[in-house]
């Protein structure tokens, strides 16, 4: 069964601190995709990153970085020098690949989310 | 370029009533997925529409039904509302059904069932 676990329910940091959000996933497929989304108080989910199961290179985008490790089924997200505007709920999600003829059509399986509060 | 739009923003219904939520996908997108997000939880997949057909369905009862129109917009219908149906309903669109595709989400419709 597919499952995404975000064990940290809430994290509170002071501005400029680094913070890492954990994500552990379960899947029996060898080909799958992992995503991170941000949900600010407005409610709209904002796409942050997509990673496929064959690409274990870490990625950095400005203050954001992602560490994908297949050996531990983890896809962790680090914010460096956090800012108040980073305060939001962050979701990790899993989507399995769709081979030809499969009915698997891009359903996202979300974790429970981690609420990040960055205090000034 | 308009993103995904949803209407209404908020809705209050009573138990047993029926509700229809609407979604217009991002320009160029032909696939629409619906998710239910209960308070404090992650979104749960309801179903996905492509070429006006339901392509995949999550673990939701038949009270939840949908439709996709030729212009790719979509409706989510919920019959015989229960208190537990109170949630944020999110619509997401993508350019095709591949699992690789990024899904763009709308702001959601907040449904309250009294």
């Amino acid at each position: 069964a597919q499952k995404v676990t975000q064990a940290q329910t809430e994290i509170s940091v002071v501005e400029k601190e680094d913070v890492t959000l954990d994500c552990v996933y379960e899947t029996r497929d060898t080909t799958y995709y992992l995503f991170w989304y941000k949900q600010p108080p407005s409610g709209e989910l904002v796409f942050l990153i997509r990673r496929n199961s064959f690409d274990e290179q870490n990625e950095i985008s400005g203050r954001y970085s992602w560490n994908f490790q297949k050996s531990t089924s983890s896809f962790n997200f680090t914010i460096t020098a956090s800012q108040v505007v980073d305060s939001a709920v962050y979701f990790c999600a899993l989507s399995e690949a769709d081979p030809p003829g499969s009915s698997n059509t891009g359903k996202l399986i979300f974790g429970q989310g981690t609420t990040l509060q960055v205090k000034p | 370029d308009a993103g995904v739009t949803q209407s209404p923003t908020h809705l209050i219904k009573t138990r047993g009533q029926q509700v229809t939520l609407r979604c217009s996908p991002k320009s160029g997108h032909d696939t629409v997925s619906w998710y239910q997000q209960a308070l404090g939880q992650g979104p749960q997949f309801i179903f996905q529409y492509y070429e006006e057909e339901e392509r995949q369905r999550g673990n939701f009862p038949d009270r939840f039904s949908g439709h996709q129109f030729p212009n790719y917009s979509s409706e989510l219908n919920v019959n015989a509302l229960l208190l537990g149906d109170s949630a944020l309903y999110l619509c997401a669109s993508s350019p095709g059904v591949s699992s690789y595709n990024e899904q763009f989400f709308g702001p959601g419709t907040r449904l309250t069932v009294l």
Side-chain angles (χ1 to χ4, degrees):
Chain A
Q2 312 147 43
K3 185 179 179 181
V4 176
T5 302
Q6 294 179 254
Q8 304 151 307
T9 305
E10 295 185 21
I11 300 176
S12 182
V13 299
V14 176
E15 205 170 22
K16 297 185 183 177
E17 283 186 14
D18 298 347
V19 58
T20 295
L21 310 182
D22 297 333
C23 172
V24 174
Y25 62 91
E26 295 176 30
T27 178
R28 285 178 290 186
D29 275 14
T30 56
T31 303
Y32 50 88
Y33 302 91
L34 296 165
F35 300 78
W36 275 95
Y37 281 87
K38 174 182 179 180
Q39 187 174 43
S42 62
E44 187 169 337
L45 285 164
V46 178
F47 168 84
L48 296 177
I49 190 173
R50 169 187 51 219
R51 181 57 95 218
N52 76 56
S53 54
F54 295 108
D55 183 0
E56 288 194 71
Q57 281 191 335
N58 291 331
E59 181 158 338
I60 298 175
S61 176
R63 296 184 297 107
Y64 295 170
S65 62
W66 291 269
N67 183 354
F68 175 33
Q69 293 193 343
K70 284 182 76 171
S71 61
T72 56
S73 297
S74 65
F75 186 43
N76 297 336
F77 172 33
T78 297
I79 301 175
T80 302
S82 60
Q83 300 176 1
V84 173
V85 293
D86 295 327
S87 297
V89 183
Y90 291 85
F91 290 97
C92 180
L94 165 71
S95 179
E96 294 180 338
D98 41 59
S102 168
S103 62
N104 194 337
T105 55
K107 173 179 71 173
L108 288 173
I109 306 297
F110 285 87
Q112 296 282 75
T114 297
T115 300
L116 174 64
Q117 182 182 34
V118 181
K119 299 177 181 178
Chain B
D1 178 24
V4 179
T5 59
Q6 293 185 245
S7 63
T9 306
H10 295 87
L11 206 50
I12 299 176
K13 292 286 188 178
T14 57
R15 281 178 297 176
Q17 285 190 314
Q18 178 264 343
V19 68
T20 297
L21 310 182
R22 296 177 176 81
C23 171
S24 291
K26 182 178 170 63
S27 178
H29 288 185
D30 57 7
T31 303
V32 173
S33 300
W34 287 92
Y35 293 81
Q36 180 195 65
Q37 186 178 16
L39 198 61
Q41 304 293 316
Q44 299 287 317
F45 176 79
I46 302 175
F47 42 52
Q48 184 180 71
Y49 277 85
Y50 172 69
E51 294 185 337
E52 301 181 50
E53 289 187 359
E54 183 182 293
R55 301 282 293 202
Q56 194 173 15
R57 188 180 183 91
N59 189 24
F60 279 81
D62 292 344
R63 298 187 297 110
F64 289 77
S65 63
H67 187 76
Q68 185 178 36
F69 299 93
N71 67 351
Y72 309 124
S73 66
S74 177
E75 289 182 348
L76 164 64
N77 300 292
V78 187
N79 294 323
L81 285 167
L82 303 174
L83 294 179
D85 295 331
S86 294
L88 179 67
Y89 287 84
L90 295 164
C91 170
S93 74
S94 58
V97 299
S98 171
S99 296
Y100 173 80
N101 292 330
E102 172 192 342
Q103 294 191 29
F104 289 78
F105 283 82
T109 293
R110 174 74 63 186
L111 173 64
T112 301
V113 182
L114 302 176

